[in-house]
Amino acid sequence: QVQLQESGPGLVKPSGTLSLTCTVSGGSISSNDWWSWVRQPLGKGLEWIGEMYHSGSSNYNPPLKSRVSISVDKSKNQFSLKVSSVTAADTAVYYCAKKSWELGVFDYWGQGTLVTVSS
Amino acid sequence: DIQMTQSPSSLSASVGDRVTITCRASQSISRSLNWYQQKPGKAPNLLIYAASSLQSGVPSRFGGSGSGTDFTLTISSLQPEDFATYFCQQSYSTPSFGQGTKVEIK
């Protein structure tokens, strides 16, 4: 059973960089899956941020592409998210998730972590 | 990019009711449509994939249908644990989600 766990600061200053890490257990990050980030402002809907394959291939949501970077650390079975130049609009619960290569579904999720952008 | 529109945004229903939620895509997505359930403070949970396939462990009262641009999630007999928010997601191209439908107790 794959498990994912997000970690990182819960508070980021405006114009700073949001950094989160997702640790994968019960499975290998080198599996045939996409490793993804999804966010959800409180009380609102889900927004896909981007994804990376263990080979280094990546895809990003166009509105966020200029500010977002996702990387994979196979030695630690982790993947990470960086969002630069953050504003209050980036305040959200951030989820890491595994997306099935075959079906394109998000079949495993982390519990989510709230990141607040505030001075 | 493909826009997903759900309706209604919320509904009130009673235990035992049949509930239907619709999801419309801005262009044809074949059957690349998935449904998730989210309870407060929890991550979404996959219910249905490829429009009508039930994810392992999901009760059979949940069903999905549709193809092209119009899709439906049906709960045949609403149970107390089904009060939650439901999201559709297209996997035809870069992922996008509907805005959600909150199912509340009547």
Side-chain angles (χ1 to χ4, degrees):
Chain A
Q1 177 84 343
V2 175
Q3 293 183 309
L4 299 95
Q5 178 68 58
E6 305 89 351
S7 59
L11 182 63
V12 181
K13 291 187 181 335
S15 78
T17 297
L18 179 161
S19 297
L20 296 173
T21 296
C22 182
T23 301
V24 179
S25 57
S28 173
I29 206 161
S30 295
S31 63
N32 196 27
D33 296 295
W34 288 91
W35 301 98
S36 307
W37 290 94
V38 177
R39 71 181 182 179
Q40 185 174 36
L42 293 178
K44 297 189 177 180
L46 299 162
E47 180 180 35
W48 175 73
I49 299 171
E51 63 192 7
M52 175 160 276
Y53 193 68
H54 64 80
S55 64
S57 296
S58 60
N59 298 300
Y60 298 108
N61 195 346
L64 300 170
K65 187 175 182 177
S66 63
R67 299 195 293 126
V68 170
S69 173
I70 298 174
S71 59
V72 166
D73 186 335
K74 288 187 276 189
S75 68
K76 295 182 179 178
N77 225 35
Q78 294 176 334
F79 62 107
S80 298
L81 170 72
K82 291 187 185 299
V83 182
S84 63
S85 304
V86 296
T87 69
D90 294 306
T91 294
V93 175
Y94 285 75
Y95 295 99
C96 58
K98 182 180 84 65
K99 193 185 85 170
S100 163
W101 174 283
E102 179 183 8
L103 298 174
V105 296
F106 299 97
D107 49 5
Y108 293 94
W109 297 69
Q111 66 185 24
T113 187
L114 175 62
V115 179
T116 302
V117 178
S118 175
S119 55
Chain B
D1 55 340
I2 299 174
Q3 308 299 320
M4 307 302 294
T5 304
Q6 284 181 240
S7 61
S9 55
S10 66
L11 64 91
S12 296
S14 301
V15 172
D17 283 354
R18 181 181 182 89
V19 169
T20 299
I21 298 169
T22 64
C23 181
R24 175 165 288 176
S26 58
Q27 67 183 72
S28 177
I29 57 171
S30 186
R31 292 178 58 81
S32 301
L33 192 283
N34 314 301
W35 291 97
Y36 300 82
Q37 177 193 67
Q38 186 180 35
K39 295 183 178 179
K42 300 293 187 182
N45 181 52
L46 178 66
L47 298 175
I48 302 280
Y49 62 92
S52 61
S53 295
L54 200 64
Q55 175 70 345
S56 176
V58 174
S60 59
R61 63 181 179 273
F62 290 94
S65 64
S67 66
T69 60
D70 294 315
F71 301 87
T72 300
L73 172 69
T74 300
I75 309 172
S76 59
S77 178
L78 198 66
Q79 297 301 301
E81 59 268 30
D82 301 337
F83 291 96
T85 300
Y86 294 85
F87 293 93
C88 61
Q89 174 243 330
Q90 62 82 13
S91 48
Y92 186 81
S93 64
T94 53
S96 54
F97 294 88
Q99 78 278 18
T101 296
K102 186 173 184 179
V103 177
E104 300 175 299
I105 301 172
K106 193 172 186 178

